[in-house]
Amino acid sequence: MQSKLVSFINVLRSHEVRISTAETLDALSVIDLLGYRDRDILRDGLSQALAKTPAEKLTFVRCFDQFFQFDTGAADSSRKPLSHTDEDAESSRGEPLETERPSLDLAGEMAADPSLRSQLETPLMQMLQADDRDGLALSIARAASRSGLSGIQMFTQKGQFTRKILDEMGEAMIRDAVLDLERRQSLALPELQGYRDRLRELVRDHVEREYLLQAHGRNRRFMDEVLSKAKLNNIEYHYQHQVYELVRKMARKLATRHSRRRRVYRRGQLHMGKTIRRGISQDGVISKLYWKSVKKDRPQVLAICDVSGSVAAYAKFLLMFLYGVQDVLPRVRSFAFSSHLGEVSGWFNQHPVEKAVELVNFHYGGSTDYGNSLLDFAKLALDDLHSRTTVIMLGDARNNHGDPRLEVMQSIYQRAGKVIWLNPEPRNLWGSGDSEMPRYQRCCHYAAQCNSLQQLERVVDQLLCYN
């Protein structure tokens, strides 16, 4: 049962339920206390130990019901056998027939042929003839465990594992018997084929459920990894919702990591003088520590994003990242430009990030003029820059052969604490054609190629460490 529990916890983790080692030990204690005879009590107990949020509880219940599902999907095995009329009606609906004992045709063939009887007098065939659904479910589960079904990852493996499980159960003997009856043109052939098809259907259903349970989390992690490394302007529209979810997940991870770090350093340095003086009244025994309290200006991030057609996708996800970590980096001001520049911070306060990004692209999209846009920025925010300000420029620096206004960029460099330029283009294209990147790069503390979610995450992570 312990190995079963570990496998179940791995399934939960693949479905993004956070479970620590200590919680795994708690779950083992729950099983020792409750046992596993009562399914509902075990589910409720493990839910208390492993699921922490309402969303995780819903995921837990769904995974528990699938993982510990013993019944193969059939109805109650205590149901009475159908009459001939009912058999005909059920057969017309494509559902399997139920019988409690073999027909006279198959029984006669087995009685007349000792070799056929030796082939079919197996526990598997007996369960099929008696419609022993619990026995079949247990046999399929054991064969699936021996065949390594829990490692299924791709839908193309379903047929492979179905065949492995059937071989483990001894279906080859039934298959050989069907071929033998076909050669004889026996009247018992349809009945034996029905048992074979019934078994195959049960195994296929079991593999399908296991695939949906095991492969969902693995496939999602694989797809997240692919999307995080892909160029943002290459991601097709029908993946956008999945990309938004990935950005939010990355932002939550960064916010959690850096909020913990800030809580560690929030106490500051030990104030030795005050600590010792307060201990004098207690004969020099230090009973309380005092810490230096130094008030610092809150850090400020100014994001200046080119939203022209060539780099609009990159600007969208950078803004989503920055506003996703507001709990850690609360002072974010956003500016968007193509031919002219304006502040768009208010839109992100009034609307969800996705809606605000759409408004930004609609109002400021167009042909690019970096020089004119830098002049607009100087009028709006140049006086607000100070040593605790980080300016992030995101764009390809292609200015359509206009005046780059390097003096404005130099002023930003001199006033701000840090200037970061993120360029979606490869470095070997910087300076080609109308690109002003080599000249702008001299006015930056840090310039890097950035065209994927993984690279954006790394930049935002470094920015949070800096601030």
Side-chain angles (χ1 to χ4, degrees), residues 1-12 67 150 214:
M1 190 60 190
Q2 290 185 359
S3 61
K4 190 79 171 176
L5 177 64
V6 172
S7 299
F8 176 56
I9 288 175
N10 289 334
V11 170
L12 291 175
F67 188 86
S150 60
Q214 298 284 351

Side-chain angles (χ1 to χ4, degrees), residues 47-83:
S47 175
Q48 295 297 319
L50 300 177
K52 295 168 284 297
T53 66
E56 288 185 355
K57 288 185 181 297
L58 290 175
T59 302
F60 173 88
V61 171
R62 185 179 71 252
C63 292
F64 183 93
D65 291 340
Q66 292 179 348
F67 188 86
F68 292 102
Q69 185 174 19
F70 179 78
D71 188 6
T72 58
D76 185 7
S77 60
S78 63
R79 191 170 58 182
K80 293 182 179 180
L82 301 177
S83 65

Side-chain angles (χ1 to χ4, degrees), residues 250-281:
M250 289 178 168
R252 285 196 301 269
K253 181 180 70 175
L254 292 178
T256 301
R257 178 191 306 166
H258 291 279
S259 63
R260 290 173 180 170
R261 184 177 301 167
R262 289 188 171 223
R263 283 196 293 271
V264 171
Y265 289 101
R266 190 175 295 168
R267 302 179 73 178
Q269 294 180 334
L270 182 65
H271 197 311
M272 288 297 300
K274 188 175 182 180
T275 300
I276 293 174
R277 286 195 301 271
R278 292 299 175 90
I280 292 176
S281 60

Side-chain angles (χ1 to χ4, degrees), residues 61 75 136 311 346 350 412 429:
V61 171
L136 287 170
V311 289
Q350 299 169 10
I412 295 173
L429 295 181

Side-chain angles (χ1 to χ4, degrees), residues 270-271 274-276 278-279 282 285-291:
L270 182 65
H271 197 311
K274 188 175 182 180
T275 300
I276 293 174
R278 292 299 175 90
Q282 302 177 15
V285 177
I286 298 176
S287 60
K288 185 177 180 181
L289 300 178
Y290 293 88
W291 306 89

Side-chain angles (χ1 to χ4, degrees), residues 65-263:
D65 291 340
Q66 292 179 348
F67 188 86
F68 292 102
Q69 185 174 19
F70 179 78
D71 188 6
T72 58
D76 185 7
S77 60
S78 63
R79 191 170 58 182
K80 293 182 179 180
L82 301 177
S83 65
H84 291 292
T85 305
D86 293 335
E87 287 181 358
D88 295 338
E90 190 166 357
S91 178
S92 65
R93 294 194 299 267
E95 298 180 3
L97 300 179
E98 293 189 355
T99 59
E100 283 192 338
R101 58 185 178 81
S103 69
L104 294 177
D105 292 332
L106 185 56
E109 288 285 352
M110 292 172 62
D113 188 345
S115 62
L116 179 63
R117 185 170 64 251
S118 64
Q119 282 182 302
L120 296 182
E121 285 185 344
T122 62
L124 175 61
M125 192 63 198
Q126 291 172 3
M127 287 187 289
L128 288 169
Q129 291 172 337
D131 197 20
D132 183 2
R133 306 185 186 197
D134 289 344
L136 287 170
L138 183 59
S139 180
I140 292 173
R142 288 173 175 171
S145 178
R146 292 194 299 269
S147 65
L149 180 60
S150 60
I152 188 171
Q153 297 185 15
M154 297 178 290
F155 72 94
T156 53
Q157 295 177 293
K158 289 193 289 186
Q160 173 186 354
F161 278 106
T162 298
R163 174 45 52 196
K164 284 184 177 181
I165 294 172
L166 288 171
D167 290 342
E168 286 283 347
M169 298 181 69
E171 187 259 356
M173 298 187 69
I174 300 178
R175 191 166 65 245
D176 293 340
V178 167
L179 294 175
D180 189 23
L181 293 181
E182 283 180 345
R183 286 192 297 269
R184 302 181 193 180
Q185 297 183 347
S186 171
L187 295 176
L189 176 62
E191 184 180 357
L192 188 57
Q193 287 176 329
Y195 290 134
R196 180 200 61 188
D197 295 342
R198 170 64 170 158
L199 176 62
R200 291 178 177 179
E201 179 188 4
L202 292 175
V203 173
R204 281 195 296 266
D205 289 346
H206 184 87
V207 171
E208 177 71 22
R209 286 193 299 271
E210 192 72 14
Y211 167 74
L212 294 175
L213 178 66
Q214 298 284 351
H216 173 77
R218 295 190 181 102
N219 290 346
R220 182 165 184 173
R221 288 200 305 271
F222 172 75
M223 196 63 193
D224 286 350
E225 183 178 357
V226 171
L227 292 176
S228 69
K229 294 179 180 179
K231 286 188 176 181
L232 293 172
N233 61 344
N234 289 339
I235 297 176
E236 298 181 15
Y237 177 77
H238 59 271
Y239 289 121
Q240 291 296 315
H241 179 72
Q242 190 169 348
V243 174
Y244 292 158
E245 290 296 326
L246 180 58
V247 170
R248 282 190 280 268
K249 184 166 63 175
M250 289 178 168
R252 285 196 301 269
K253 181 180 70 175
L254 292 178
T256 301
R257 178 191 306 166
H258 291 279
S259 63
R260 290 173 180 170
R261 184 177 301 167
R262 289 188 171 223
R263 283 196 293 271

